[in-house]
């Protein structure tokens, strides 16, 4: 859809720049004249919201780093100092800590949107894979950020997660020692996590550029999942998409601000206000809410599978549950993109959403009794959805008739 | 190699390309290594390799926990009952039948004697880090009267052997030695 550019340099400075660095043309093509399908619904505003959240995290993070000390003897107190002494420190920290949660809420909506409307299908495979990479990097950034305040959850979260590597036979232990820089999580770990926590968001920004570049080559998908056929199917990005994105960004910010100002610790864990203690593990350790479904998958594997013991099995299942999403474009065999025209897919999709939400709930509960069994059932469904249901549905499902074009569908609707 | 002459011998250019490539790869690897290895434990961390613990005040039924290489090490003076329980367990009942004791043969069985101190069967020294994902098990708790890990429910017996739950191995016994009757050097 990167058709030919409609930009005409007018002022003197634009003409001067145009010959040397056509950046105004780039911005015009990407943000003004870029054609967007005219039937996009509000779920398509989350891309913009995600970009906004990345900027908020980077700005608030850089400010926090001016007051934060990444030394195990000072870190906890420096964060308390941010909360009590630094001018507006409480606000900036709550913006950053809750911002991470908001970032994940937005990314989950964004991903499920793509899943439902088949946005990963040809020709958007690479766009989807870049998205999976961004999501993985976000998980890394969130995890390392959570270690920085050096509370009990920080410390034990870091311990449990870096111990995942010890499940790998032979090389696992040396890898874990290399990662944490010691025989246990300690100052060396905290220091490097801070360094990487600072770096990763900028890598994310780089991958986001590739993600948007790929998007602008293949064009946006839309709720009907059919290709744009003529200019009538689209509207220019400005003012149509910019104003809609702007509206939903503001609504999202209201939601976000409610947490920052009224429930700033609701999404966190009280144990993280206790300084890290390497001699005592809190009675019930849980990761941040956005990792809970994966944590439940990890704990669901309580049995050995052939030569793979339960510990390695759990770790493989957990990483596998994310890795499998990268292969989605090739696992889904249906030619029809949008779930709107796929009656069976729709059922499987909502069951999948339910399974993930339930896994999230189970991840927050102690792993005993029936909780483990339920987690095993949901984990089985999670993998079956990708590895069995989606490949098979393409062959057995009879999709509903697709409309001829976006504009026809839009006009038909507005007649009623 | 980018030339299409199928019959030709390798040329001087092929040779140059190969050697340049090989030297380049070795060069990159030898510069990359310091950038990877710097992440490993530094000299000051490695220097903390051994500590001394005084157990003169340790009564039967008591434990002390000390920090060694950033990890808690428990020294327990076991009661007679605990020793009996530890000895009564048959090897077939164990999830991990290997002693995991750095002071005995690596393939030794996980008998009570192979787990406890030599000639001092009441003393048990172990790194108190759950072999599942690294939490600290609680002393004197769990179904087997030994240790219980609160994180994902692993249960260890009175000789620190894994009996139930997701942990794969017995709690490891570090290298240690009695420097006198009441002093232990760990590491
Ligand atoms: C992808 C973007 C980012 C995410 C998801 C993220 C996430 C987090 C999280 C979850 C915390 C723990 C908050 C808490 O409970 O206190 C944190 C802390 C922190 N982050 Fe970030 N962060 C991001 C970007 C950045 C950037 C670019 C910097 C720049 C240096 C930064 C600097 C800090 C600092 C200094 C802390 C410690 C202070 C504190 O804990 O409040 N972050 N981050
Ligand atoms: S860390 Fe002890 S049971 Fe998982």
């Amino acid at each position: 859809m990167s058709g030919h550019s409609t930009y005409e340099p007018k002022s003197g400075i634009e003409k001067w720049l145009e010959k040397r660095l056509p950046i105004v043309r780039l911005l015009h093509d990407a943000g003004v004249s870029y054609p967007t399908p005219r039937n996009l619904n509000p779920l398509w505003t989350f891309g913009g919201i995600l970009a906004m959240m990345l900027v908020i995290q980077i700005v608030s993070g850089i400010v926090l780093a001016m007051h934060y000390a990444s030394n195990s003897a000072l870190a906890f107190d420096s964060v308390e100092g941010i909360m009590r002494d630094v001018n507006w420190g409480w606000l900036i920290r709550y913006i950053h800590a809750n911002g991470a949660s908001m970032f994940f809420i937005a990314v989950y909506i964004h991903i499920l949107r793509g899943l439902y409307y088949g946005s990963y299908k040809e020709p958007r495979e690479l766009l989807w894979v870049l998205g999976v990479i961004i999501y993985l990097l976000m998980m890394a950034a969130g995890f390392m950020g959570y270690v920085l305040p050096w509370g009990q959850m920080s410390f034990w979260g870091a311990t449990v997660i870096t111990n995942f590597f010890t499940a790998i036979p032979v090389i696992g232990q040396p890898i874990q020692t290399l990662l944490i820089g010691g025989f246990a999580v300690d100052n060396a770990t905290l220091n490097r996590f801070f360094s990487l926590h600072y770096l990763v968001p900028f890598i994310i920004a780089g991958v986001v550029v590739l993600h948007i570049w790929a998007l602008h080559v293949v064009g946006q998908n839309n709720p009907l999942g059919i290709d744009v056929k003529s200019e009538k199917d689209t509207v220019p990005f400005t003012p149509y998409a910019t104003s809609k994105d702007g509206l939903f960004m503001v609504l999202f910010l209201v939601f976000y601000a409610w947490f920052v100002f009224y429930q700033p610790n609701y999404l966190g864990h009280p144990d993280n206000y206790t300084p890290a203690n390497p001699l005592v593990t809190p009675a019930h350790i849980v990761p941040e809410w956005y990792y809970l479904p994966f944590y439940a998958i990890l704990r669901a594997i309580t049995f050995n599978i052939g030569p793979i013991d339960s510990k390695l099995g759990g770790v493989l299942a957990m990483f596998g549950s994310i890795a499998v999403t990268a292969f989605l474009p090739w696992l889904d065999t249906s030619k029809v993109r949008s779930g709107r025209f796929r009656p069976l897919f729709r059922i499987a999709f909502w069951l999948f959403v339910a399974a993930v939400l339930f896994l999230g709930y189970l991840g927050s509960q102690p792993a005993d009794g029936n909780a483990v069994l339920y987690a095993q059932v949901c984990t089985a469904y999670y993998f079956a959805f990708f590895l069995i249901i989606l490949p098979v549905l393409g062959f057995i499902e009879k999709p509903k008739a697709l409309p001829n074009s976006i504009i026809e569908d839009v006009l038909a609707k507005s007649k009623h | 190699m980018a030339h299409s002459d199928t019959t030709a011998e390798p040329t001087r250019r092929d040779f140059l390309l190969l050697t340049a490539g090989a030297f380049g790869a070795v060069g990159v690897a030898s510069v990359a290594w310091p950038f990877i290895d710097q992440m490993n434990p530094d000299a000051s961390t490695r220097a903390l390799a051994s500590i001394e613990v005084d157990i003169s005040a340790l009564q039967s039924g008591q434990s002390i926990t000390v920090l060694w290489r950033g990890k808690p090490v428990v020294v327990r003076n076991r009661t007679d009952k605990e020793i009996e329980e530890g000895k009564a367990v048959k090897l077939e009942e164990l999830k991990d039948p290997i002693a995991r004791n750095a002071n005995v043969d690596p393939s030794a069985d996980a008998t009570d004697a192979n787990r406890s101190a030599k000639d001092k069967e009441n003393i048990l020294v172990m790194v108190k880090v759950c072999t599942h994902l690294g939490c600290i098990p609680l002393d004197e708790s769990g179904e087997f009267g030994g240790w219980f890990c609160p994180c994902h429910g692993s249960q260890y017996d009175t000789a620190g052997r894994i009996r139930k739950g997701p942990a794969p191995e017995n709690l490891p016994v570090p290298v240690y030695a009695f420097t006198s009757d009441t002093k232990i050097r760990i590491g």
Side-chain angles (χ1 to χ4, degrees), chain A residues 121 225 332-337 342 394 402:
Chain A
K121 289 185 194 179
D332 185 342
T333 49
S334 171
K335 291 275 175 294
V336 177
R337 291 200 190 98
R342 301 186 58 193
L402 296 174

Side-chain angles (χ1 to χ4, degrees), chain B residues 66-135:
Chain B
V66 293
L67 213 53
W68 173 67
R69 291 176 153 192
K71 290 179 183 172
V73 170
V74 62
V75 180
R76 179 157 181 86
N77 189 346
R78 299 190 296 168
T79 61
D80 292 340
K81 180 167 170 282
E82 289 172 349
I83 301 170
E84 290 315 313
E85 279 174 16
K87 285 182 169 167
V89 182
K90 294 199 199 62
L91 275 182
E92 311 84 81
E93 293 172 37
L94 295 174
K95 189 172 172 190
D96 176 17
I98 299 171
R100 310 285 170 197
N101 181 344
N103 308 286
V104 301
D105 190 80
S107 60
D109 290 336
T111 56
D112 192 78
N114 278 340
R115 299 272 310 158
S116 52
K118 194 159 175 274
D119 305 326
K120 282 191 173 50
E121 61 177 8
N122 57 323
I123 298 292
L124 183 66
V125 182
M126 300 184 304
V127 178
K128 199 167 63 173
V129 173
C130 182
T131 59
H132 182 225
L133 294 172
C135 293

Side-chain angles (χ1 to χ4, degrees), chain A residues 1-7 24-38 40 44 124 127 211-222 228 231 233-242 245:
Chain A
M1 241 188 271
S2 46
H4 81 126
S5 178
T6 57
Y7 170 67
V24 188
R25 174 182 299 277
L26 183 84
L27 295 176
H28 184 272
D29 292 351
V32 180
S33 63
Y34 178 67
T36 61
R38 64 192 318 147
L40 296 186
W44 265 262
R124 297 186 184 83
L127 183 61
H211 189 72
I212 295 175
W213 185 9
L215 172 72
H216 282 219
V217 173
V218 295
Q220 281 163 291
N221 187 25
N222 63 79
V228 166
E231 215 163 287
D233 287 343
T234 66
V235 289
F237 194 84
T238 303
Y240 297 97
T242 20
D245 279 356

Side-chain angles (χ1 to χ4, degrees), chain A residues 163 181 183 192 281 295 311, chain B residues 39 71 131-134 136 152:
Chain A
N163 259 297
F183 304 108
R192 67 191 52 189
T281 306
Y295 193 59
K311 178 172 161 184
Chain B
M39 288 177 66
K71 290 179 183 172
T131 59
H132 182 225
L133 294 172
I136 310 297
H152 318 99

Side-chain angles (χ1 to χ4, degrees), chain A residues 122-253:
Chain A
E122 201 272 334
R124 297 186 184 83
E125 303 94 329
L126 197 54
L127 183 61
W128 174 265
V129 172
L130 287 166
V132 174
I133 293 173
I134 294 172
Y135 174 58
L136 278 174
L137 289 168
M138 279 176 63
M139 303 242 290
F143 161 60
M144 290 188 288
Y146 195 58
V147 175
L148 301 183
W150 210 239
Q152 273 289 66
M153 280 297 162
S154 300
F155 185 90
W156 291 103
T159 298
V160 167
I161 296 199
T162 55
N163 259 297
F164 289 166
F165 292 91
T166 62
I168 307 167
V170 190
I171 54 167
Q173 187 66 56
I175 291 182
Q176 190 232 11
T177 307
L178 181 85
L179 286 177
I180 65 178
F183 304 108
V185 169
D186 207 337
N187 186 49
T189 321
L190 176 60
N191 235 302
R192 67 191 52 189
F193 276 18
F194 181 50
S195 169
L196 296 174
H197 183 66
Y198 210 130
L199 169 69
V200 170
F202 294 92
I203 300 180
I204 294 179
V207 183
V208 167
V209 170
L210 297 181
H211 189 72
I212 295 175
W213 185 9
L215 172 72
H216 282 219
V217 173
V218 295
Q220 281 163 291
N221 187 25
N222 63 79
L224 296 173
I226 58 177
D227 289 330
V228 166
K229 299 206 171 91
S230 70
E231 215 163 287
K232 277 195 246 124
D233 287 343
T234 66
V235 289
F237 194 84
T238 303
Y240 297 97
T242 20
S243 54
K244 189 145 107 192
D245 279 356
L247 172 64
F248 281 91
M249 278 181 197
V250 171
L251 293 178
F252 192 79
L253 284 173

